[in-house]
Amino acid sequence: MPRFAANLTMMFGELPFLDRFAAAADAGFRAVEFLFPYDHPAEVIRKVADSAGVRIVLFNLPPGDWTGGERGIAAFPERADEFSRALALGLDYARVLSVPRLHLMAGIAPSQSAPHRDRYRDAIVEAAERAGPFGIDILLEPLNGRDMPGYLLSDFAMAKDLITGLGLPNVKLQFDIYHRQIMHGDVTEALRTLLPITGHVQTASVPGRNEPGTGELDDARIFGVLDEIGYQGHVGCEYRPLFATGEGLGWFAPWRE
């Protein structure tokens, strides 16, 4: 049976961030994820998560100036030192929060030029080497160009080539079903073929990015495929609720833990 993690950046947005952990637990989730924890001390988040009885399974490394439109700094050669400092901060949080995986965002690069691609590759290697001793995986997530124009990693084939080419055991794919469908389609076959390099799966309906079951895909069938192929990880619910989060959790009833 798939194990779902509530994305606390998108879900339960009617509550302050620290209150969302208990709300997720009350709704039946035993795991959570979110984009960024850095507005709160790691020790405070750990206490809140432990009190709620939920495990944190994923968050993102610092992305640069998020409010200013940045979506990662890994691909910029001139920001290598800044990236190293951001990586250190993310790893500090991950260790306190006992989080087993971190999403490394590439960035919105002005071109697909060799310097940006090479620097991105170097950043992945640095992150993997520094995270490895702590048992932390580094995840690469292709993002669709409709939602995020200019994002460097906008193709699943590129992600696969990076991961297999590097051959680092703690560099894995973050397979977002929503982004996959918009970019390439062929979701279930891609899940089957990419399972060996997949470290985390996320879901949302297409095209609205709302609750599973409200879009063009048979989300329940896809969740069944995850069982068929033996996926053992969590499925992050990175969707925007159409109304208050609790009103749209009917889809979750068959899998509520």
Side-chain angles (χ1 to χ4, degrees):
M1 184 178 78
R3 297 180 297 160
F4 291 91
N7 187 294
L8 300 186
T9 301
M10 292 192 171
M11 299 174 69
F12 304 101
E14 57 272 16
L15 298 172
F17 177 72
L18 294 177
D19 292 341
R20 298 174 196 176
F21 292 81
D26 290 344
F29 292 96
R30 295 295 169 258
V32 300
E33 63 177 38
F34 38 79
L35 293 186
F36 311 110
Y38 309 109
D39 286 341
H40 304 276
E43 293 79 6
V44 171
I45 297 174
R46 179 61 186 262
K47 182 177 180 180
V48 169
D50 288 349
S51 178
V54 295
R55 180 186 180 195
I56 304 170
V57 298
L58 171 74
F59 62 84
N60 293 0
L61 288 166
D65 183 6
W66 183 266
T67 58
E70 291 186 335
R71 296 298 182 265
I73 58 176
F76 299 97
E78 70 278 10
R79 301 178 74 174
D81 289 344
E82 181 185 351
F83 173 80
S84 294
R85 294 191 297 272
L87 174 60
L89 176 63
L91 289 173
D92 285 345
Y93 268 78
R95 292 197 297 270
V96 172
L97 299 176
S98 299
V99 174
R101 58 192 64 85
L102 296 169
H103 172 208
L104 169 58
M105 301 192 76
I108 298 174
S111 71
Q112 289 277 341
S113 66
H116 291 106
R117 293 171 70 100
D118 291 348
R119 172 56 203 156
Y120 180 41
R121 183 185 178 93
D122 290 346
I124 296 168
V125 172
E126 178 186 356
E129 290 178 346
R130 292 174 61 181
F134 304 106
I136 297 171
D137 289 340
I138 299 298
L139 303 187
L140 312 182
E141 180 185 18
L143 304 179
N144 79 79
R146 186 171 74 196
D147 285 357
M148 200 167 292
Y151 191 73
L152 183 70
L153 184 59
S154 58
D155 181 83
F156 271 68
M158 178 183 174
K160 179 184 177 183
D161 289 347
L162 274 168
I163 293 166
T164 58
L166 288 170
L168 298 171
N170 66 328
V171 176
K172 299 177 182 179
L173 175 68
Q174 186 165 315
F175 191 120
D176 189 300
I177 293 166
Y178 167 81
H179 289 296
R180 172 72 197 194
Q181 173 66 3
I182 293 173
M183 283 188 279
H184 309 296
D186 202 21
V187 170
T188 57
E189 183 61 23
L191 283 169
R192 296 178 195 278
T193 58
L194 296 174
L195 178 66
I197 63 169
T198 296
H200 189 65
V201 173
Q202 291 178 318
T203 190
S205 69
V206 181
R209 204 169 190 177
N210 305 125
E211 289 88 344
T214 61
E216 66 192 26
L217 294 177
D218 185 347
D219 296 296
R221 169 60 183 148
I222 293 171
F223 301 152
V225 168
L226 289 173
D227 269 350
E228 291 173 17
I229 64 178
Y231 175 67
Q232 298 296 309
H234 286 86
V235 180
C237 301
E238 195 180 44
Y239 67 80
R240 303 184 187 97
L242 283 167
F243 305 103
T245 302
E247 295 178 23
L249 286 177
W251 70 270
F252 181 49
W255 294 284
R256 195 173 192 269
E257 297 184 51

